[in-house]
Amino acid sequence: MTEDHRPIKTLDRVLSKAGLGSRTEARSWIGAGRVRVNGRVIQTPDHWVDLERDTVTFDNQPVKQGKKIYLLLYKPTGYLTTYKDPEGRPTVYNLLGDIDQYVVPVGRLDLETSGLLLLTSDTQFAELVTNPDYKVPKTYLLKSSKHLSDDQIKQLRSGVTLSDGPTKPAQVTRVRDSEKYTHLEMTITEGRNRQVRRMIEALDAKVLKLVRIAIGPIQIGDLKIGQHRPLTPAEVATLTKKKGI
Ligand code: URA
């Protein structure tokens, strides 16, 4: 059994996993004395709670562990993958409407990247899909600012050197060429910061357009841009099976 399957969690996690808010919010509520464990006010967010034994209340209401939710959003460009932006720019949360649980993005897409973004209340699922050790493939379509040669595509496949080290082998297919541009489909398993853009920059070109079309077997399909839908239980299972959770 992995650590996260144990019914023992810190108090701030119990509140955020129940969908009441972020862990930061939970820590402030705990500090403010609004949370009780077995009737006693606990002001330490790192207090251990055994969910099978302990009763937690928030503002005197029992805290129930929410059913986990998994959403697939077609993120448009121009939306940040953060909860709030100090500059007031739109975030992916503005696209979700009324959902009754706190969800976290599963990895990030850059402001100017569009495509498939998963959001979930299941932090263990989020960790699994983003952890490079689990090698969950992420597939992108991209338009490069220059025509890329077969040799350059081979370099992308075998790995290019970035400032944070060489990239792992990638699957790269030439989709089409126009006079000036090359369109590629690229599947990577790492997901480092701005990785696809930096891989193309390593070839002295730039990414003009980047869309994520799949995570593992989950495809964006015909979902409309800006829309979201729940993942089916079968889709969740395909991402979690054989990973031991
Ligand atoms: N790689 C990037 O460069 N940007 C993204 O948003 C995702 C992958």
Side-chain angles (χ1 to χ4, degrees), residues 108-114 140 188 191-198 207 210 212:
R108 284 177 188 279
L109 288 178
D110 302 334
L111 184 65
E112 289 315 322
T113 303
S114 60
Y140 298 85
I188 57 173
R192 298 190 223 164
N193 187 32
R194 298 184 68 256
Q195 179 168 343
V196 174
R197 291 177 197 276
R198 291 191 293 138
V207 168
L210 186 59
R212 181 154 68 194

Side-chain angles (χ1 to χ4, degrees), residues 3-171:
E3 199 186 315
D4 260 330
H5 264 113
R6 285 165 39 211
I8 298 176
K9 299 194 192 311
T10 56
L11 190 51
D12 59 340
R13 282 199 91 189
V14 170
L15 296 175
S16 76
K17 286 201 135 230
L20 294 171
S22 67
R23 277 179 83 181
T24 311
E25 287 169 314
R27 293 175 91 88
S28 80
W29 297 329
I30 295 163
R34 294 170 66 183
V35 181
R36 289 172 187 260
V37 179
N38 303 326
R40 195 158 61 90
V41 172
I42 300 289
Q43 288 179 282
T44 322
D46 296 330
H47 180 87
W48 289 104
V49 174
D50 182 339
L51 290 170
E52 280 174 6
R53 249 187 17 209
D54 298 327
T55 306
V56 179
T57 59
F58 173 50
D59 287 345
N60 299 319
Q61 297 300 313
V63 172
K64 296 206 188 81
Q65 290 301 293
K67 193 165 169 293
K68 290 170 181 160
I69 57 172
Y70 306 86
L71 302 174
L72 186 168
L73 170 74
Y74 190 158
K75 176 195 170 303
T77 60
Y79 283 78
L80 289 164
T81 314
T82 48
Y83 185 54
K84 270 198 187 126
D85 178 44
E87 294 170 38
R89 289 172 294 179
T91 80
V92 292
Y93 289 89
N94 298 129
L95 298 166
L96 296 181
D98 259 356
I99 48 163
D100 60 1
Q101 275 197 58
Y102 183 71
V103 290
V104 292
V106 178
R108 284 177 188 279
L109 288 178
D110 302 334
L111 184 65
E112 289 315 322
T113 303
S114 60
L116 194 166
L117 182 70
L118 300 178
L119 296 117
T120 181
S121 59
D122 181 347
T123 48
Q124 189 187 11
F125 173 86
E127 152 68 12
L128 182 149
V129 175
T130 48
N131 187 331
D133 291 349
Y134 293 119
K135 298 193 175 61
V136 177
K138 283 107 191 166
T139 302
Y140 298 85
L141 287 177
L142 72 91
K143 176 180 175 182
S144 124
S145 64
K146 287 183 187 165
H147 188 264
L148 299 178
S149 66
D150 286 347
D151 219 47
Q152 287 175 306
I153 291 180
K154 270 192 202 143
Q155 285 180 49
L156 291 174
R157 285 194 189 116
S158 51
V160 289
T161 301
L162 303 179
S163 55
D164 49 0
T167 59
K168 296 228 165 72
Q171 286 172 32

